[in-house]
Amino acid sequence: EIVLTQSPGTLSLSPGERATLSCRASQSVSSSSLAWYQQKPGQTPRLLIYGASSRATGIPDRFSGSGSGTDFTLTISRLEPEDFAVYYCQQFGSSPLTFGGGTKVEIK
Amino acid sequence: EVQLAESGGGLVKPGESLRLSCVGSGFTFSHAWMSWVRQAPGKGLEWVGRIKSTTDGGTTDYAAPVKGRITISRDDSKNTLYLQMSSLKTEDTAVYYCSTGSRRSGTMSPPFDYWGQGTLVTVSS
């Protein structure tokens, strides 16, 4: 099983700041099979990034993904008020599919 | 518009069984790989299992914590996905989501573009 470890657990930032979220895999993950999701309280998860760096439909370009192998990053270039949420990485190429534990981006 | 609607959740006692359903619309259900994902109260997302499209073999994969206690099936004639759970434990308490997505280049398995609203399963004596 591929274990995904996200860091930090919580990120305290102000609107307008840059957020950098990390996702580290216990073994190599195909970039094609790495995704990022956003979940706000009381809402269902929303796909942000797939293929490590491709934005899903309707996702603003302030969200970007990068990385390969075992290290992946989600960057939010300038935080908007609606971006404060929990973010999960996921690998969906190898069974069992797995999610990281999540990073909460909170308002400082 | 793609829609996924789960049903069947509720309060059950440890050791009991429960079947969840998920009806899909707005997409070709028979071609879709469908997954169940759960989220315990205040916790993160946990993949439960999936079923491939019938055209891709209709095979299933399950997460270790539920393997042997759950069965995922599908009825393409009804655009419905099922999750049969047995020997339920208190730690199975969660919101259960069904999800699916569009296949992208470079991978057979799709990311989860679409999610239902979820159905709450509470296992308690």
Side-chain angles (χ1 to χ4, degrees), chain A residues 16-39:
Chain A
E17 290 193 294
R18 182 185 187 89
T20 303
L21 288 65
S22 173
C23 176
R24 181 159 292 176
S26 60
Q27 56 188 278
S28 186
V29 172
S30 167
S31 294
S32 301
S33 304
L34 194 287
W36 290 91
Y37 299 85
Q38 176 194 66
Q39 187 177 32

Side-chain angles (χ1 to χ4, degrees), chain A residues 5-11 20-24 36 72 89 101-103:
Chain A
T5 301
Q6 292 188 240
S7 62
T10 302
L11 200 51
T20 303
L21 288 65
S22 173
C23 176
R24 181 159 292 176
W36 290 91
F72 298 90
C89 59
T103 291

Side-chain angles (χ1 to χ4, degrees), chain B residues 60-82:
Chain B
T60 52
D61 298 286
Y62 301 116
V66 296
K67 198 169 186 177
R69 299 190 296 119
I70 72 163
T71 301
I72 295 175
S73 61
R74 63 191 300 155
D75 185 339
D76 291 343
S77 69
K78 297 181 179 178
N79 284 4
T80 302
L81 172 73
Y82 301 102

Side-chain angles (χ1 to χ4, degrees), chain B residues 99-117:
Chain B
S99 62
T100 189
S102 303
R103 190 176 296 177
R104 303 322 201 275
S105 63
T107 179
M108 286 287 290
S109 177
F112 296 169
D113 298 81
Y114 309 108
W115 298 70
Q117 286 303 306

Side-chain angles (χ1 to χ4, degrees), chain B residues 37-66:
Chain B
V37 178
R38 69 184 181 183
Q39 188 167 35
K43 302 297 183 181
L45 301 172
E46 180 183 23
W47 178 79
V48 173
R50 74 173 172 199
I51 185 166
K52 297 179 182 178
S53 64
T54 303
T55 51
D56 286 325
T59 55
T60 52
D61 298 286
Y62 301 116
V66 296

